[in-house]
């Protein structure tokens, strides 16, 4: 099947329309391990929090009306009737004219409706406390259920769990939470010349880059990378590997094998495994044109460029939004800075180009310097501070033109 | 010892001057697990990358001067002398007037100095190839060492490892990397009323929040949280726990027990364990005033407020920069948005206040609405979109005043 090269926006639409997150699978994990996961249910409180009226100061639990009108010259004198221990039921209630010592967080005794701070009192003798300042009803206390009422939803489904959510979930006594599983993303490298790092190189061989760069990118986006190793340039082997990966994972990334060369098996395998199979064959993006997007059993199977820089750019622009959406993550908002272009830079109109740049201040202005180097050099991206997107209607950048640099 | 309440800036200076990251400990981990870790050494390449001259196109390796002047009408006719297989040593070299098929990434045969794209050639017969376009020396090739030269530093010590770094590290054949260990941060909760989530509450008890909220905050900042459980309000138990934690961890956080109440053991334990011990006792921040910062065996031992919201605010403002620095992380740049204040809000001058807010658009303007609720209610922070810092020289916010909202 012959497919026309498509614009980036068109490709993002195709991905959005074809791959809708909707797995009903969930998993139960420990609250302490839930940071960065996505909640799979509305969580409601099983009881009121706090579960009892409590004092928020060290002082005396009182009936507030017994303190009305009290001042330095005319304190209210109350009968001391014992002490509330923190974490325990009060030894009794208080009646009119009585008070009971209560520490911060202690349970307010029955009959008490407010707490006087200890600084505003004086112990006169074993039985009497002078109160020098009036308190109004509920003053210096937190009422049962004032923070959370039983049945209140405290964290909504689809929330990306942060420390403050973990805090409120523990406050209602949860030890475990139900989250969506991370999308499993198989990463397959292909090529007879590719060798696993750590191994010895023979003449003509190079070490695998894409498994490592792509797997870690997936992890950053909330996915669970599944490195599938290196597959030799044989269609039967690759077909077997892709087939198995589609069964086990939610997304399959295959790097290499998507140039126009005769080893281009990826597209035909995708078409053989399902129909329509290949949805996109070629994207008008530089670097990254020879990218294939297919659908097998409803799952995205993506042929990434073999060149590592192209592969990383395609990952960031095309694949990352997909993985984040499947993970239930919000869209990424990469940090950007404005800078002036250090030189004229020519670019062909009709495709979106990503130019790696470094940043340097010159006479108080921030400049973006294009990173020179042949396409495919991994150091052009590993040493860059950021990248500049050149819109497909533009034919390059002018010296001194202001550009937005997407920090890497 | 009596210590004056200190300003936030003063406290940050004290922390910076007292706790200088400088551990010489390192650990060796797998490259695939190094995302988000901090490199502990300059990494230099052991060999040239690529390790050989390679073609970056599918086509024919040639001597460039044999193609000079070639065009559609007058192609250069070269003798076909075999094929380079990807990942293998070429079957031989090429001499004047010869060419050899080479795939993208294939090794350039000895004698060849450029590659002609297959689109610019035609196979005339078994022995002859027509070249319709000249190539200059090195055209369509990448030279040995052109990406990385043996001995070049590819990633610097102290780099926070991102996918592009993992890519370049694998390109030079590394399987493992040397990183700084994550700072271990013990988190101790204190209080007779505190119960572990999952357990049953007795009258007067509440579930632990701070262990969970603080441990996950530590993890977010690149630290390794060590939850130490709940310690009862007994000085001997707390002293034993702090003592053990100082030995095992790099930082100790103790929550609760730092109010002015009679259970305030934390400060005296710190002073007993080392001298000077307590460096800061009270910070002019709201919420979060009753915070203690001590130094034991050169390590930070921090008494956090027991109120969970105070504790999280103190963590963000005071503790997070410390943990990130010890982890080798760059300073956090939390996302901020500008909004207009929805109402007047009074605040006492002389202390820095953090006000939880929600965001809502009204008639095209973004407004920050203060979250109402008593201090200490965990829902004020778990339901907030962000917080507004009110400078200590200000006495509050005016309605319609523009404020910067730090997103949570």
């Amino acid at each position: 099947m012959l497919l026309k090269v498509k614009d980036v926006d068109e490709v993002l639409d195709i991905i959005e329309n074809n791959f809708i997150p909707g797995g009903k699978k969930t998993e139960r994990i420990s609250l302490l391990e839930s940071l960065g996961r996505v909640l799979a249910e509305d969580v409601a409180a099983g009881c009121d929090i706090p579960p009892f009226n409590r004092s928020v100061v060290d002082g005396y639990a009182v009936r507030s009306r017994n303190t009305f009108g009290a001042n330095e010259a005319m304190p209210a004198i109350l009968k001391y009737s014992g002490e509330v221990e923190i974490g325990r039921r009060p030894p009794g209630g208080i009646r009119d004219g009585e008070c009971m010592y209560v520490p911060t967080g202690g349970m307010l005794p029955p009959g008490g409706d407010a707490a006087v701070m200890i600084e505003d009192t004086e112990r006169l003798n074993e039985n009497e406390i002078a109160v020098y300042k009036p308190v109004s009803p509920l003053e210096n206390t937190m009422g049962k259920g004032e923070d959370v009422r039983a049945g209140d939803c405290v964290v909504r489904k689809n929330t990306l769990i942060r420390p403050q959510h973990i805090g409120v979930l523990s406050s209602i006594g949860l030890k475990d939470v139900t989250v969506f599983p991370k999308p499993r993303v198989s990463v397959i490298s292909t090529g007879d010349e590719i060798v696993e790092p750590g191994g010895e190189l023979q003449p003509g061989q190079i070490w695998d880059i894409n498994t490592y760069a792509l797997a870690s990118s997936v992890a950053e986006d909330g996915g669970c990378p599944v490195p599938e190793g290196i597959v030799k340039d044989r269609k039967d082997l690759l077909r077997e590997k892709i087939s198995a990966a589609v069964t086990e994972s939610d997304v399959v990334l295959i790097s290499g094998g998507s140039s126009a060369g005769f080893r281009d098996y990826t597209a035909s395998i995708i078409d053989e495994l399902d129909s329509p199979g290949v949805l996109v064959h070629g994207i008008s993006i530089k670097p990254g044109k020879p990218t294939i997007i297919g659908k097998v059993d409803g799952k995205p199977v993506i042929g990434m460029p073999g060149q590592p820089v192209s592969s990383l750019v395609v990952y960031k622009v095309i694949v990352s939004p997909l993985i984040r959406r499947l993970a239930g993550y919000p869209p990424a908002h990469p940090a950007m800075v404005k800078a002036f272009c250090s030189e004229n830079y020519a670019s062909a109109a009709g495709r979106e180009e990503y130019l790696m740049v470094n940043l340097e201040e010159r006479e108080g202005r921030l400049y973006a310097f294009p990173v020179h180097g042949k396409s495919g050099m991994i150091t052009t991206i590993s040493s860059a501070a950021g990248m500049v997107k050149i819109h497909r209607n533009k034919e390059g950048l002018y010296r001194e033109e202001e550009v937005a640099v997407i920090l890497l």
Side-chain angles (χ1 to χ4, degrees), chain A residues 10-20 279-280 293 300 302 318-319 321-322 325:
Chain A
E10 213 178 330
V11 172
L12 292 174
D13 279 350
I14 289 172
I15 290 178
E16 196 165 335
N17 295 331
N18 274 279
F19 308 112
I20 295 155
L279 306 173
V280 175
I293 295 169
I302 302 181
I318 307 286
V319 182
L322 169 66
R325 209 149 39 84

Side-chain angles (χ1 to χ4, degrees), chain A residues 246-269:
Chain A
V246 167
T247 309
E248 283 170 28
S249 289
D250 303 297
V251 180
V252 180
L253 304 181
I254 305 127
S255 85
S258 49
S259 80
F262 64 92
R263 281 180 190 74
D264 182 2
Y265 302 135
T266 306
S268 62
I269 292 171

